């Protein structure tokens, strides 16, 4: 038997489960009829039970509002235990379970969906595509891996050369990320992910902040920005007074939906001279926490795990399914 306990919880849903030698879904204080259809569908997907190597599920539903959240929770358990590749996607009010490009099951709302809608749209409640508001292929590659696992096709602005550049006129990271995500979503009708990131130095009142990329002027380069930062801190000698944070705000927007916002910080200090050969921007000057290492000394994989952007993406993956379920309900 499996000792792993799985849990999903938000303000509207709360599920606890484990893998066992049977398929069982029970409601704690809720009407089982509400989840019986889902239980039957998932039981068929889980397949025959082997009591020596159980792939059945035992799930207790404590709070329940979203069929999408519940199906995604159980499918995640099955994938992890049985090494399956099941994906859960929305389509015109229905919920589809897909594996290896094959449709295995469909969960319909009680009142069904219009036939024309079901067969006339792309898979996914927001379409089957998420557009990353960047022309940076490296940044897109990471999001393609993450959202591809959820059944989405990932595009970036290079796929839409006719789209205008969105002026970042906000005075906060969230304002700029919202401007990009929500403007491009309105123009394309697609779900869009945008980010705004920068360096905040405490003794400079949070500067360079949203102006990080152009701190030294309209023709700024990494070298001129770093030089200006060192100049601004020239009379600050104690490292504790040179504290700073890299910051990222991510915004996901979809037409006529409430946008999803997540943030993360990466604390550290500003060095007195650059060090390291990796990274970009202010990485050569940024000392990571109390480690004494500069961000530019970190290999890409290590930096991605520790950095503000890596932490924000991790947080996004934690809250995105619940947001998607809420916006699609």
């Amino acid at each position: 038997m499996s000792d792993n306990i799985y849990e999903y919880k938000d303000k509207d849903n709360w599920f606890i489960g484990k893998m066992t030698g049977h398929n069982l879904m029970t409601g704690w204080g809720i009407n089982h009829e509400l989840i019986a259809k889902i239980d039957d569908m998932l039981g068929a997907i889980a397949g025959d039970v082997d009591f020596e190597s159980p792939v059945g599920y035992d799930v207790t539903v404590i709070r329940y509002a979203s069929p999408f959240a519940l199906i995604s929770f159980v499918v995640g358990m099955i994938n992890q235990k049985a090494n399956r590749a099941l994906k859960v996607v929305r389509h015109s009010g229905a919920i589809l379970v897909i594996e290896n490009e094959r449709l295995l099951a469909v969960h319909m709302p009680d009142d069904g969906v219009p036939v024309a809608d079901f067969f006339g749209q792309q898979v996914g409640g927001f379409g089957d595509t998420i557009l990353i508001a960047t022309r940076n292929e490296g940044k897109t590659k990471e999001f393609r891996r993450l959202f591809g696992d959820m059944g989405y096709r990932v595009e970036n602005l290079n796929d839409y050369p006719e789209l205008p550049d969105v002026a970042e006129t906000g005075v906060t990271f969230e304002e700029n990320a919202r401007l990009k995500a929500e403007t491009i979503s309105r123009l394309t009708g697609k779900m869009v992910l945008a980010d705004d990131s920068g360096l905040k130095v405490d003794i400079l009142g949070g500067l360079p902040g949203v102006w990080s990329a152009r701190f030294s002027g309209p023709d700024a380069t990494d070298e001129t920005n770093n030089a200006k930062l060192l100049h601004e801190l020239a009379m600050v000698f104690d490292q504790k007074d040179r504290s700073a944070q890299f910051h990222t705000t991510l915004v996901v927007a979809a037409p006529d939906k409430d946008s999803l916002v997540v943030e993360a910080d990466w604390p550290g200090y500003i060095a007195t001279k650059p060090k390291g050969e990796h990274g970009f921007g202010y990485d050569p000057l940024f000392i990571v926490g109390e480690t004494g290492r500069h961000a530019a000394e970190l290999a890409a994989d290590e930096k991605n795990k520790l950095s503000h952007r890596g932490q924000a993406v991790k947080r996004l993956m934690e809250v995105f399914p619940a947001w998607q379920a809420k916006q699609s309900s």
Side-chain angles (χ1 to χ4, degrees), residues 126 182 185-186 189-190 253-259 323 327:
F126 305 119
E182 293 175 357
S185 181
R186 284 195 299 270
K190 294 180 179 291
D256 302 317
K257 307 294 183 183
D258 294 329
S259 295
W323 173 82
Q327 299 304 318

Side-chain angles (χ1 to χ4, degrees), residues 6-292:
Y6 302 84
E7 182 178 23
Y8 175 83
K9 185 177 182 181
D10 60 33
K11 68 182 183 66
D12 299 313
N13 302 278
W14 187 3
F15 320 130
I16 298 174
K18 62 181 179 179
M19 301 306 291
T20 65
H22 55 268
N23 295 319
L24 177 65
M25 185 177 293
T26 56
W28 188 23
I30 67 171
N31 187 344
H32 184 265
E33 291 182 1
L34 294 174
I35 57 176
K37 186 163 60 172
I38 293 176
D39 191 12
D40 291 342
M41 181 186 77
L42 293 173
I45 292 173
D48 295 333
V49 173
D50 179 350
F51 283 86
E52 296 300 321
S53 301
V55 293
Y57 57 82
D58 187 340
V59 173
T60 299
V61 180
I62 301 171
R63 286 199 302 265
Y64 174 71
S66 167
F68 184 87
L70 179 55
I71 293 170
S72 297
F73 173 71
V74 179
V75 162
M77 292 170 53
I78 296 171
N79 281 343
Q80 183 171 336
K81 178 63 179 179
N83 197 28
R84 301 277 299 266
L86 300 166
K87 297 178 181 179
V88 183
V89 297
R90 283 189 169 274
H91 176 44
S92 302
I95 301 170
L96 314 184
V97 180
I98 299 170
E99 186 173 31
N100 299 325
E101 305 305 319
R102 295 179 64 86
L103 178 61
L104 300 184
V106 179
H107 174 77
M108 289 287 186
D110 290 339
D111 56 352
V113 299
V115 172
D117 289 349
F118 189 81
F119 289 103
Q121 297 181 3
Q122 291 181 310
V123 173
F126 305 119
D128 67 349
T129 301
I130 183 166
L131 172 58
I132 311 301
T134 183
R135 301 189 190 278
N136 185 313
E137 294 294 343
K139 185 185 296 185
T140 304
K141 182 178 180 181
E142 174 65 10
F143 286 116
R144 182 169 286 118
R145 180 184 67 81
L146 293 167
F147 283 99
D149 289 343
M150 302 174 69
Y152 284 96
R153 184 165 63 93
V154 175
E155 300 176 332
N156 67 18
L157 295 181
N158 293 326
D159 298 301
Y160 298 88
E162 73 283 1
L163 283 176
D165 291 332
V166 179
E168 297 182 12
T169 57
V171 296
T172 67
F173 293 106
E174 181 177 337
E175 287 178 0
N176 281 335
R178 277 186 179 274
L179 276 170
K180 289 184 285 187
E182 293 175 357
T183 299
I184 295 171
S185 181
R186 284 195 299 270
L187 290 173
T188 62
K190 294 180 179 291
M191 180 165 58
V192 176
L193 169 65
D195 80 295
D196 196 35
S197 302
L199 178 69
K200 302 184 295 181
V201 180
D202 294 327
I203 203 168
L204 299 181
L207 290 174
V210 296
W211 299 280
S212 292
R214 51 192 185 277
F215 190 40
S216 57
D219 298 319
T221 65
D222 288 351
E223 290 75 17
T224 60
N225 283 337
N226 281 320
K228 178 174 175 60
L229 181 59
L230 288 176
H231 174 75
E232 295 293 331
L233 297 176
M235 300 305 294
V236 182
F237 303 108
D238 195 328
Q239 178 171 295
K240 68 178 178 60
D241 294 327
R242 299 169 71 97
S243 58
Q245 308 87 41
F246 273 125
H247 176 88
T248 286
T249 297
L250 299 177
V251 174
V252 181
D256 302 317
K257 307 294 183 183
D258 294 329
S259 295
L260 172 64
V261 181
V262 297
E263 299 178 311
D265 287 309
W266 193 21
Y269 303 91
I270 303 303
T272 56
K273 59 182 180 181
K275 186 177 181 182
E277 303 297 328
H278 303 296
F280 59 93
Y282 298 95
D283 286 356
L285 290 178
F286 186 76
I287 300 173
V288 179
E290 307 299 329
T291 67

